[in-house]
Amino acid sequence: MKCEEYISIIEEYMDGELDRQTALGVSDHLAVCRECADFCDSVRSEQQLYAHYRRDVEVTPAIWASVQERIRAEKVAISPDQVSRLRERKPVSLKWFAGLLSTPRFSPALAVALVLIAVALTAVVMSYLQSNQPATQESIVATGNSNAGTSATGNGNANQSDDPKDRKDKIADIDTTPQPEKAESTQPAPRPQRVVKREPTPEQLVREAEQKYLAAIAILARDVKRRRSRIDPFVAAQFDAALADIDHTIAETRRAARENPDDPIALQYMLTAYAKKVDVLREMARN
Amino acid sequence: MMEASTLVGQPSGRAGTLMNSSEEWIARARRGDDEAFRLIFDRYARPIISFIYDMVGQRELAEELTQETFVRAYKNLNALRDESKLSTWLFGIAKNVARESLRYRFREDGKVEIEDDRVMEMSDGRLLPDSELLNKELNGVIRDALGALDEDKRMVFTLKIFQQRSYEEIAEITGFSIPKLKTDLHRARAEMRRRIRPYLGVGYEV
């Protein structure tokens, strides 16, 4: 081997990463080559310099106190019963839940109207899916109409996005229920067909809720962008870390919701993740 | 190396003779024993906070991210397959936490501006008065040089030079291939060498 080749592996030699035979070869060469031995000495000197490096950081008791506080909060937030129930239902659900809880807790107050609508839609979807009873079709219709009263545009979107191509069997079954007869038997109103046509499916309601959250997030993100320069960099970094967590959770929950469109837990986690992001952005906008 | 050797033995002093292995601490922490998890924290918090500080360059942020690292570790203890690799696993979490934070920082090239605060004396520091000034200056030079490395190089350099991790461990922590980390480490060393060269052999006593 030439000196250049030895030079190229001297750092690995110093790191103890060479196999025994190669290391012995380098050692023998260093004993007879002044130039390579000098380079080896310079690497050693650097390492000694780095060993003296001191950082402006220490492990303070406050760090453990905060860790302990958060761990205890986790224990309260997820009781053993909840954990076992989640595990029984769907193992990956626990991971999403943990991801949601890992984000900082902010004020639960919701002031954005879009978010209120999204929450209402979420509640409707969850109550429907959790009941898992086709007989509740009427209640869905009724609640869907009350939401329409809250948001005319939302109702319009639901009508326009009535695309049955990717519905699952359960939803398809609901859609094929003889609704006009049902409507007539429970509500002798003169216009049963109008109710059937405007009836949003759970999937549409989820999509609508998601759109509301995305709209709220877009509005808040613009506010945050405008005010960013006024936010303390440290605080901003904390918010950014929280947003990174939430975005990761949103991505995971969206994927899970796509794979399990009729699982209320999956849908609930997805919408909760959006709600978390709204909370964080609102806190940032306030700063 | 310094940190690890300094910390070995501290936990057993706190806990008595019953708990003296990482495996046992992990088992007890998994059963909800906070004190066992505290022993894990005590043992690894210093190298972890040093690593994170080297990555993000801000003391308060490093403290915050260290908290986050250990909270995530606690929540995911069941995901740790090989208890003998607790340290590598913790560094892997710290890497993720630091990267997520850096992703949202203002500078997009992965370089950070490390705070130029007063250098704190470590409890085991034995600095001679006449070399203290030079040490502070050198600290500043190393700090700036570290901050000027791109993120991958800084990570590999820190894990090797300051945390004394093997290439195999660095590959596990970072997810980099061995050839990539070797290249990054070699280039990082060269960049750092260029900056600290004036301090090699000009009166600095090591």
Side-chain angles (χ1 to χ4, degrees), chain A residues 8 11-12 14-15 17 39 42-43 45-60 62-64 66-68 70-72 74-75 87 95 98-99 101-103 228 233-234 236-238 240-241 243-245 247-248, chain B residues 2-3 32 34 37-38 41 45-46 49-50 53-54 59-61 63-64 67-68 70-72 74-75 78 100 104 106 117-120 122 138-139 142-143 146 157 160-162 166-167 182 185-186 189 192-193 196 199-200 204 206:
Chain A
S8 70
E11 287 173 349
E12 287 180 54
M14 299 291 290
D15 290 338
E17 297 281 352
F39 179 71
S42 73
V43 173
S45 298
E46 288 167 23
Q47 292 185 342
Q48 287 173 323
L49 272 187
Y50 295 137
H52 284 254
Y53 180 50
R54 294 290 179 269
R55 300 165 184 82
D56 179 30
V57 69
E58 264 288 20
V59 179
T60 62
I63 298 177
W64 168 251
S66 298
V67 170
Q68 191 174 36
R70 288 179 62 186
I71 286 173
R72 287 180 176 166
E74 291 294 331
K75 286 180 178 174
R87 278 187 174 143
K95 189 180 167 193
L101 291 171
S102 71
T103 58
R228 174 123 206 159
F234 172 64
Q238 285 182 304
D240 288 340
L243 287 174
D245 270 349
D247 284 341
H248 179 66
Chain B
M2 173 200 72
E3 288 150 335
D34 284 1
F37 190 69
R38 171 151 195 179
F41 176 87
R46 279 185 69 185
I49 200 171
S50 297
Y53 178 80
D54 289 341
R59 180 170 53 82
E60 289 186 359
L61 182 58
E63 290 174 355
E64 181 76 22
Q67 286 174 27
E68 177 64 22
F70 280 95
V71 170
R72 283 194 197 182
Y74 182 85
K75 289 192 297 189
N78 286 325
E100 285 167 17
Y104 285 90
F106 303 105
D117 288 352
R118 181 181 61 84
V119 175
M120 293 170 62
M122 297 295 181
L138 179 65
N139 257 310
I142 293 176
R143 193 169 52 228
L146 207 52
F157 183 87
K160 180 68 233 173
I161 303 298
F162 296 132
S166 69
Y167 290 179
K182 275 188 190 177
L185 180 59
H186 176 72
R189 273 179 156 138
M192 294 291 288
R193 185 175 297 135
I196 66 164
Y199 295 86
L200 289 169
Y204 183 86
V206 294

Side-chain angles (χ1 to χ4, degrees), chain B residues 129-140:
Chain B
D130 58 349
S131 62
E132 189 172 351
L133 195 62
L134 192 54
N135 271 322
K136 280 190 172 181
E137 187 180 334
L138 179 65
N139 257 310

Side-chain angles (χ1 to χ4, degrees), chain A residues 93-229:
Chain A
S93 296
L94 186 61
K95 189 180 167 193
W96 307 334
F97 195 54
L100 291 176
L101 291 171
S102 71
T103 58
R105 288 165 179 74
F106 295 93
S107 165
L110 294 175
V112 182
L114 288 167
V115 176
L116 283 173
I117 296 166
V119 169
L121 289 168
T122 306
V124 171
V125 174
M126 292 310 125
S127 65
Y128 174 75
L129 288 176
Q130 283 174 336
S131 70
N132 204 22
Q133 296 288 332
T136 57
Q137 186 70 3
E138 293 93 340
S139 65
I140 281 285
V141 172
T143 324
N145 284 339
S146 71
N147 270 318
T150 314
S151 167
T153 55
N155 199 31
N157 287 344
N159 286 332
Q160 287 161 13
S161 59
D162 190 8
D163 179 7
K165 66 182 179 183
D166 55 351
R167 284 181 195 165
K168 298 299 176 191
D169 293 342
K170 180 180 169 188
I171 296 173
D173 288 341
I174 294 168
D175 286 342
T176 55
T177 304
Q179 290 145 355
E181 287 78 4
K182 267 195 170 180
E184 281 170 9
S185 63
T186 55
Q187 277 189 345
R191 298 186 309 180
Q193 284 188 345
R194 187 182 64 82
V195 175
V196 172
K197 278 185 179 176
R198 296 196 175 187
E199 177 184 316
T201 66
E203 188 181 60
Q204 288 169 343
L205 289 169
V206 168
R207 200 181 301 143
E208 196 178 333
E210 186 178 11
Q211 285 170 353
K212 299 299 176 200
Y213 276 123
L214 288 172
I217 286 167
I219 292 167
L220 289 166
R222 276 200 299 274
D223 282 352
V224 168
K225 193 176 177 183
R226 277 200 298 270
R227 299 179 188 194
R228 174 123 206 159
S229 60

